[in-house]
Amino acid sequence: MSPRSRTSPSSTVPTGSPTRRIAAVAVALAAVVLLVIAIAQIVSSTSTEPEPDSEPSAATGQYANNDMYRDLATLARRDPADPMALGSPTAPVVMIEYSDLQCPYCRQFAQTTEPELVAKYVDRGLLRIEWRNLAFFGEESERAARAGWAAGQQGRFWELHELMFENAPAKKNTGVFTADRLTEWAGLAGVGDLDRFRADLDSDAARAAVTADITEAVGIGVNSTPAFLINGRPILGARPVEQMIAVIEAGLLDEAPGGGQ
């Protein structure tokens, strides 16, 4: 399976003929089948929590030889200077995170699991986290996604990301993520030029960037949040931190000299 490439902010995706739409649906369905198989393999391999301080089995090297995982891994490292990425662009493991800022499970992951992964791996240069906006809970999800992109243009994506999750509504699309409130939070997050932030928030470039992220996710069969690719290995849902660590460790093993052979 060849993952769908990101569209550039200036490009448009034609939606014209029924034939084109049917072909797109067929591709998406095929991707879903492959993704479900991959998820089943990953969940099976990590369903038993490892003993404390245990080393990953050498058998984890099998994943490096899976063509589908290698194809999915090509979606990572889209831009070394990506403002919505955290960690070194040369980190041996990259985790792509498809998320919605109104998703309670995404919030749970961001507030409980992700900080542990940052301390254990990102801060040591072993892991890079790349955010993708899978904003499909409606208008406020899309507006929050554009706000994150706009904050990223001034280097404050992760700070605003934290504030948006802290203030995420218990019920979706209830008027919490307004442009005024997002601008207020952007100021608290350290965004220096709030006039520019407002302009970026409503810009065509922001909309195109969010659409490109959604297109990428849908193109590989992701239809719920949060979802992750860790060096191309799919993980669906806010899994226990032990399972995330097991897959990251497998990726590190594959990237070590002689790994995956």
Side-chain angles (χ1 to χ4, degrees):
M1 177 183 66
S2 297
R4 191 176 299 178
S5 62
R6 284 177 55 84
T7 56
S8 68
S10 61
S11 64
T12 58
V13 180
T15 57
S17 69
T19 301
R20 186 182 296 276
R21 288 196 296 270
I22 292 169
V25 170
V27 170
L29 287 175
V32 169
V33 172
L34 291 172
L35 187 59
V36 168
I37 293 170
I39 290 167
Q41 292 173 340
I42 287 296
V43 171
S44 174
S45 72
T46 60
S47 59
T48 301
E49 293 183 4
E51 294 296 323
D53 301 321
S54 63
E55 293 296 324
S57 165
T60 56
Q62 66 183 300
Y63 296 123
N65 296 317
N66 186 298
D67 289 341
M68 183 171 65
Y69 297 156
R70 283 199 294 266
D71 285 346
L72 291 171
T74 63
L75 294 171
R77 307 180 199 276
R78 62 184 183 185
D79 177 3
D82 186 350
M84 296 195 298
L86 188 66
S88 171
T90 61
V93 177
V94 179
M95 180 177 77
I96 298 176
E97 175 182 352
Y98 298 98
S99 194
D100 187 303
L101 286 152
Q102 289 194 103
C103 164
Y105 298 105
C106 301
R107 177 181 181 178
Q108 174 187 326
F109 175 81
Q111 294 181 333
T112 60
T113 302
E114 198 161 44
E116 187 169 341
L117 300 182
V118 169
K120 188 176 180 66
Y121 296 107
V122 175
D123 290 347
R124 294 166 57 204
L126 300 174
L127 175 69
R128 176 175 172 87
I129 299 174
E130 296 185 349
W131 174 275
R132 302 287 197 273
N133 285 298
L134 185 46
F136 56 22
F137 284 124
E139 181 181 349
E140 290 191 53
S141 289
E142 295 174 7
R143 188 181 299 117
R146 297 199 312 271
W149 183 88
Q153 303 311 295
Q154 298 187 53
R156 307 301 286 183
F157 166 75
W158 289 97
E159 291 80 3
L160 182 56
H161 154 281
E162 182 177 348
L163 279 172
M164 286 192 287
F165 271 132
E166 283 179 2
N167 293 280
K171 293 185 178 180
K172 303 174 184 68
N173 299 309
T174 52
V176 173
F177 287 151
T178 64
D180 287 343
R181 189 167 286 122
L182 289 166
T183 303
E184 177 186 347
W185 293 340
L188 294 174
V191 173
D193 188 340
L194 294 180
D195 289 337
R196 177 188 171 191
F197 172 84
R198 276 188 174 276
D200 285 339
L201 171 64
D202 287 327
S203 68
D204 289 342
R207 288 181 171 81
V210 173
T211 297
D213 282 355
I214 295 170
T215 298
E216 177 181 296
V218 172
I220 60 171
V222 176
N223 61 2
S224 65
T225 54
F228 308 89
L229 295 176
I230 301 178
N231 275 16
R233 300 167 182 150
I235 299 289
L236 198 59
R239 311 297 299 178
V241 68
E242 294 84 2
Q243 291 188 11
M244 304 298 286
I245 286 173
V247 182
I248 292 169
E249 290 289 344
L252 290 171
L253 187 66
D254 288 340
E255 295 302 319
Q261 301 300 317

PDB file of all heavy atoms in Angstrom, residues 122-142:
ATOM      1  N   VAL A 122      11.515  11.816  23.871  1.00  0.00           N
ATOM      2  CA  VAL A 122      11.711  13.041  23.088  1.00  0.00           C
ATOM      3  C   VAL A 122      12.879  13.844  23.640  1.00  0.00           C
ATOM      4  O   VAL A 122      13.757  14.291  22.890  1.00  0.00           O
ATOM      5  CB  VAL A 122      10.424  13.891  23.073  1.00  0.00           C
ATOM      6  CG1 VAL A 122      10.682  15.230  22.363  1.00  0.00           C
ATOM      7  CG2 VAL A 122       9.289  13.142  22.380  1.00  0.00           C
ATOM      8  N   ASP A 123      12.920  14.035  24.947  1.00  0.00           N
ATOM      9  CA  ASP A 123      13.974  14.838  25.558  1.00  0.00           C
ATOM     10  C   ASP A 123      15.351  14.212  25.410  1.00  0.00           C
ATOM     11  O   ASP A 123      16.370  14.906  25.546  1.00  0.00           O
ATOM     12  CB  ASP A 123      13.678  15.069  27.043  1.00  0.00           C
ATOM     13  CG  ASP A 123      12.496  16.003  27.268  1.00  0.00           C
ATOM     14  OD1 ASP A 123      12.065  16.658  26.297  1.00  0.00           O
ATOM     15  OD2 ASP A 123      11.997  16.074  28.411  1.00  0.00           O
ATOM     16  N   ARG A 124      15.406  12.946  25.109  1.00  0.00           N
ATOM     17  CA  ARG A 124      16.688  12.240  24.914  1.00  0.00           C
ATOM     18  C   ARG A 124      17.040  12.103  23.430  1.00  0.00           C
ATOM     19  O   ARG A 124      18.028  11.445  23.086  1.00  0.00           O
ATOM     20  CB  ARG A 124      16.622  10.861  25.560  1.00  0.00           C
ATOM     21  CG  ARG A 124      16.492  10.902  27.080  1.00  0.00           C
ATOM     22  CD  ARG A 124      16.095   9.544  27.642  1.00  0.00           C
ATOM     23  NE  ARG A 124      17.054   8.506  27.239  1.00  0.00           N
ATOM     24  CZ  ARG A 124      16.748   7.216  27.173  1.00  0.00           C
ATOM     25  NH1 ARG A 124      15.514   6.804  27.446  1.00  0.00           N
ATOM     26  NH2 ARG A 124      17.671   6.337  26.811  1.00  0.00           N
ATOM     27  N   GLY A 125      16.235  12.721  22.555  1.00  0.00           N
ATOM     28  CA  GLY A 125      16.534  12.684  21.128  1.00  0.00           C
ATOM     29  C   GLY A 125      16.187  11.382  20.444  1.00  0.00           C
ATOM     30  O   GLY A 125      16.632  11.131  19.317  1.00  0.00           O
ATOM     31  N   LEU A 126      15.368  10.532  21.086  1.00  0.00           N
ATOM     32  CA  LEU A 126      15.044   9.223  20.539  1.00  0.00           C
ATOM     33  C   LEU A 126      13.703   9.187  19.812  1.00  0.00           C
ATOM     34  O   LEU A 126      13.451   8.272  19.030  1.00  0.00           O
ATOM     35  CB  LEU A 126      15.026   8.177  21.667  1.00  0.00           C
ATOM     36  CG  LEU A 126      16.336   8.011  22.440  1.00  0.00           C
ATOM     37  CD1 LEU A 126      16.136   7.051  23.616  1.00  0.00           C
ATOM     38  CD2 LEU A 126      17.438   7.506  21.515  1.00  0.00           C
ATOM     39  N   LEU A 127      12.849  10.164  20.077  1.00  0.00           N
ATOM     40  CA  LEU A 127      11.501  10.168  19.513  1.00  0.00           C
ATOM     41  C   LEU A 127      11.136  11.563  19.037  1.00  0.00           C
ATOM     42  O   LEU A 127      11.453  12.555  19.694  1.00  0.00           O
ATOM     43  CB  LEU A 127      10.489   9.712  20.578  1.00  0.00           C
ATOM     44  CG  LEU A 127       8.999   9.765  20.196  1.00  0.00           C
ATOM     45  CD1 LEU A 127       8.681   8.719  19.127  1.00  0.00           C
ATOM     46  CD2 LEU A 127       8.118   9.554  21.431  1.00  0.00           C
ATOM     47  N   ARG A 128      10.472  11.617  17.914  1.00  0.00           N
ATOM     48  CA  ARG A 128       9.892  12.857  17.392  1.00  0.00           C
ATOM     49  C   ARG A 128       8.388  12.635  17.284  1.00  0.00           C
ATOM     50  O   ARG A 128       7.941  11.580  16.808  1.00  0.00           O
ATOM     51  CB  ARG A 128      10.491  13.172  16.021  1.00  0.00           C
ATOM     52  CG  ARG A 128       9.896  14.422  15.315  1.00  0.00           C
ATOM     53  CD  ARG A 128      10.682  14.652  14.031  1.00  0.00           C
ATOM     54  NE  ARG A 128      10.130  15.668  13.162  1.00  0.00           N
ATOM     55  CZ  ARG A 128      10.390  16.970  13.245  1.00  0.00           C
ATOM     56  NH1 ARG A 128      11.179  17.410  14.221  1.00  0.00           N
ATOM     57  NH2 ARG A 128       9.891  17.832  12.381  1.00  0.00           N
ATOM     58  N   ILE A 129       7.608  13.587  17.754  1.00  0.00           N
ATOM     59  CA  ILE A 129       6.147  13.515  17.670  1.00  0.00           C
ATOM     60  C   ILE A 129       5.678  14.541  16.644  1.00  0.00           C
ATOM     61  O   ILE A 129       6.014  15.721  16.743  1.00  0.00           O
ATOM     62  CB  ILE A 129       5.496  13.790  19.034  1.00  0.00           C
ATOM     63  CG1 ILE A 129       5.957  12.744  20.060  1.00  0.00           C
ATOM     64  CG2 ILE A 129       3.980  13.773  18.909  1.00  0.00           C
ATOM     65  CD1 ILE A 129       5.478  13.026  21.474  1.00  0.00           C
ATOM     66  N   GLU A 130       4.920  14.079  15.670  1.00  0.00           N
ATOM     67  CA  GLU A 130       4.403  14.957  14.626  1.00  0.00           C
ATOM     68  C   GLU A 130       2.873  14.967  14.693  1.00  0.00           C
ATOM     69  O   GLU A 130       2.227  13.924  14.531  1.00  0.00           O
ATOM     70  CB  GLU A 130       4.873  14.501  13.237  1.00  0.00           C
ATOM     71  CG  GLU A 130       6.384  14.599  13.084  1.00  0.00           C
ATOM     72  CD  GLU A 130       6.868  14.268  11.685  1.00  0.00           C
ATOM     73  OE1 GLU A 130       6.060  13.751  10.865  1.00  0.00           O
ATOM     74  OE2 GLU A 130       8.045  14.518  11.405  1.00  0.00           O
ATOM     75  N   TRP A 131       2.316  16.143  14.936  1.00  0.00           N
ATOM     76  CA  TRP A 131       0.871  16.302  15.072  1.00  0.00           C
ATOM     77  C   TRP A 131       0.203  16.401  13.710  1.00  0.00           C
ATOM     78  O   TRP A 131       0.713  17.053  12.799  1.00  0.00           O
ATOM     79  CB  TRP A 131       0.587  17.566  15.875  1.00  0.00           C
ATOM     80  CG  TRP A 131      -0.852  17.945  15.978  1.00  0.00           C
ATOM     81  CD1 TRP A 131      -1.580  18.683  15.081  1.00  0.00           C
ATOM     82  CD2 TRP A 131      -1.754  17.616  17.036  1.00  0.00           C
ATOM     83  NE1 TRP A 131      -2.879  18.834  15.529  1.00  0.00           N
ATOM     84  CE2 TRP A 131      -3.006  18.194  16.725  1.00  0.00           C
ATOM     85  CE3 TRP A 131      -1.619  16.911  18.245  1.00  0.00           C
ATOM     86  CZ2 TRP A 131      -4.107  18.069  17.557  1.00  0.00           C
ATOM     87  CZ3 TRP A 131      -2.718  16.792  19.071  1.00  0.00           C
ATOM     88  CH2 TRP A 131      -3.939  17.365  18.722  1.00  0.00           C
ATOM     89  N   ARG A 132      -0.933  15.733  13.551  1.00  0.00           N
ATOM     90  CA  ARG A 132      -1.776  15.897  12.382  1.00  0.00           C
ATOM     91  C   ARG A 132      -3.200  16.192  12.871  1.00  0.00           C
ATOM     92  O   ARG A 132      -3.709  15.510  13.770  1.00  0.00           O
ATOM     93  CB  ARG A 132      -1.815  14.627  11.528  1.00  0.00           C
ATOM     94  CG  ARG A 132      -0.453  14.126  11.030  1.00  0.00           C
ATOM     95  CD  ARG A 132       0.116  15.000   9.934  1.00  0.00           C
ATOM     96  NE  ARG A 132       1.178  14.315   9.221  1.00  0.00           N
ATOM     97  CZ  ARG A 132       2.460  14.305   9.570  1.00  0.00           C
ATOM     98  NH1 ARG A 132       2.847  14.969  10.645  1.00  0.00           N
ATOM     99  NH2 ARG A 132       3.358  13.641   8.861  1.00  0.00           N
ATOM    100  N   ASN A 133      -3.845  17.169  12.264  1.00  0.00           N
ATOM    101  CA  ASN A 133      -5.207  17.548  12.636  1.00  0.00           C
ATOM    102  C   ASN A 133      -6.216  16.643  11.943  1.00  0.00           C
ATOM    103  O   ASN A 133      -6.432  16.764  10.741  1.00  0.00           O
ATOM    104  CB  ASN A 133      -5.475  19.001  12.234  1.00  0.00           C
ATOM    105  CG  ASN A 133      -4.804  19.989  13.162  1.00  0.00           C
ATOM    106  OD1 ASN A 133      -5.101  20.040  14.352  1.00  0.00           O
ATOM    107  ND2 ASN A 133      -3.891  20.782  12.617  1.00  0.00           N
ATOM    108  N   LEU A 134      -6.810  15.733  12.702  1.00  0.00           N
ATOM    109  CA  LEU A 134      -7.913  14.949  12.175  1.00  0.00           C
ATOM    110  C   LEU A 134      -9.193  15.526  12.784  1.00  0.00           C
ATOM    111  O   LEU A 134      -9.799  14.983  13.704  1.00  0.00           O
ATOM    112  CB  LEU A 134      -7.750  13.468  12.523  1.00  0.00           C
ATOM    113  CG  LEU A 134      -8.786  12.507  11.934  1.00  0.00           C
ATOM    114  CD1 LEU A 134      -9.035  12.783  10.460  1.00  0.00           C
ATOM    115  CD2 LEU A 134      -8.374  11.073  12.151  1.00  0.00           C
ATOM    116  N   ALA A 135      -9.564  16.690  12.256  1.00  0.00           N
ATOM    117  CA  ALA A 135     -10.652  17.491  12.842  1.00  0.00           C
ATOM    118  C   ALA A 135     -11.974  17.106  12.203  1.00  0.00           C
ATOM    119  O   ALA A 135     -12.390  17.690  11.216  1.00  0.00           O
ATOM    120  CB  ALA A 135     -10.357  18.976  12.629  1.00  0.00           C
ATOM    121  N   PHE A 136     -12.650  16.123  12.797  1.00  0.00           N
ATOM    122  CA  PHE A 136     -13.911  15.726  12.177  1.00  0.00           C
ATOM    123  C   PHE A 136     -15.093  15.723  13.153  1.00  0.00           C
ATOM    124  O   PHE A 136     -16.086  15.049  12.915  1.00  0.00           O
ATOM    125  CB  PHE A 136     -13.808  14.400  11.435  1.00  0.00           C
ATOM    126  CG  PHE A 136     -13.331  13.202  12.208  1.00  0.00           C
ATOM    127  CD1 PHE A 136     -13.404  13.114  13.592  1.00  0.00           C
ATOM    128  CD2 PHE A 136     -12.807  12.131  11.520  1.00  0.00           C
ATOM    129  CE1 PHE A 136     -12.977  11.989  14.269  1.00  0.00           C
ATOM    130  CE2 PHE A 136     -12.381  10.995  12.198  1.00  0.00           C
ATOM    131  CZ  PHE A 136     -12.466  10.910  13.561  1.00  0.00           C
ATOM    132  N   PHE A 137     -14.994  16.505  14.241  1.00  0.00           N
ATOM    133  CA  PHE A 137     -16.125  16.647  15.150  1.00  0.00           C
ATOM    134  C   PHE A 137     -16.897  17.937  14.905  1.00  0.00           C
ATOM    135  O   PHE A 137     -17.659  18.378  15.758  1.00  0.00           O
ATOM    136  CB  PHE A 137     -15.670  16.578  16.604  1.00  0.00           C
ATOM    137  CG  PHE A 137     -15.346  15.182  17.065  1.00  0.00           C
ATOM    138  CD1 PHE A 137     -14.100  14.893  17.601  1.00  0.00           C
ATOM    139  CD2 PHE A 137     -16.274  14.167  16.948  1.00  0.00           C
ATOM    140  CE1 PHE A 137     -13.799  13.607  18.023  1.00  0.00           C
ATOM    141  CE2 PHE A 137     -15.979  12.872  17.376  1.00  0.00           C
ATOM    142  CZ  PHE A 137     -14.744  12.590  17.910  1.00  0.00           C
ATOM    143  N   GLY A 138     -16.678  18.555  13.761  1.00  0.00           N
ATOM    144  CA  GLY A 138     -17.490  19.709  13.425  1.00  0.00           C
ATOM    145  C   GLY A 138     -16.722  21.013  13.357  1.00  0.00           C
ATOM    146  O   GLY A 138     -15.492  21.060  13.388  1.00  0.00           O
ATOM    147  N   GLU A 139     -17.481  22.091  13.286  1.00  0.00           N
ATOM    148  CA  GLU A 139     -16.930  23.422  13.036  1.00  0.00           C
ATOM    149  C   GLU A 139     -15.909  23.844  14.081  1.00  0.00           C
ATOM    150  O   GLU A 139     -14.863  24.404  13.748  1.00  0.00           O
ATOM    151  CB  GLU A 139     -18.075  24.445  12.989  1.00  0.00           C
ATOM    152  CG  GLU A 139     -17.617  25.875  12.720  1.00  0.00           C
ATOM    153  CD  GLU A 139     -18.788  26.850  12.713  1.00  0.00           C
ATOM    154  OE1 GLU A 139     -19.945  26.388  12.708  1.00  0.00           O
ATOM    155  OE2 GLU A 139     -18.524  28.071  12.706  1.00  0.00           O
ATOM    156  N   GLU A 140     -16.188  23.564  15.359  1.00  0.00           N
ATOM    157  CA  GLU A 140     -15.256  24.012  16.395  1.00  0.00           C
ATOM    158  C   GLU A 140     -13.955  23.215  16.364  1.00  0.00           C
ATOM    159  O   GLU A 140     -12.879  23.745  16.678  1.00  0.00           O
ATOM    160  CB  GLU A 140     -15.910  23.956  17.771  1.00  0.00           C
ATOM    161  CG  GLU A 140     -16.987  25.011  17.936  1.00  0.00           C
ATOM    162  CD  GLU A 140     -17.453  25.142  19.374  1.00  0.00           C
ATOM    163  OE1 GLU A 140     -16.602  25.321  20.269  1.00  0.00           O
ATOM    164  OE2 GLU A 140     -18.679  25.069  19.595  1.00  0.00           O
ATOM    165  N   SER A 141     -14.023  21.949  16.003  1.00  0.00           N
ATOM    166  CA  SER A 141     -12.794  21.168  15.833  1.00  0.00           C
ATOM    167  C   SER A 141     -11.938  21.772  14.721  1.00  0.00           C
ATOM    168  O   SER A 141     -10.714  21.887  14.850  1.00  0.00           O
ATOM    169  CB  SER A 141     -13.130  19.714  15.501  1.00  0.00           C
ATOM    170  OG  SER A 141     -13.666  19.046  16.610  1.00  0.00           O
ATOM    171  N   GLU A 142     -12.583  22.149  13.631  1.00  0.00           N
ATOM    172  CA  GLU A 142     -11.845  22.735  12.515  1.00  0.00           C
ATOM    173  C   GLU A 142     -11.241  24.081  12.911  1.00  0.00           C
ATOM    174  O   GLU A 142     -10.091  24.384  12.553  1.00  0.00           O
ATOM    175  CB  GLU A 142     -12.773  22.890  11.317  1.00  0.00           C
ATOM    176  CG  GLU A 142     -13.256  21.560  10.752  1.00  0.00           C
ATOM    177  CD  GLU A 142     -14.284  21.735   9.646  1.00  0.00           C
ATOM    178  OE1 GLU A 142     -14.507  22.889   9.231  1.00  0.00           O
ATOM    179  OE2 GLU A 142     -14.882  20.723   9.226  1.00  0.00           O
TER     180      GLU A 142
END
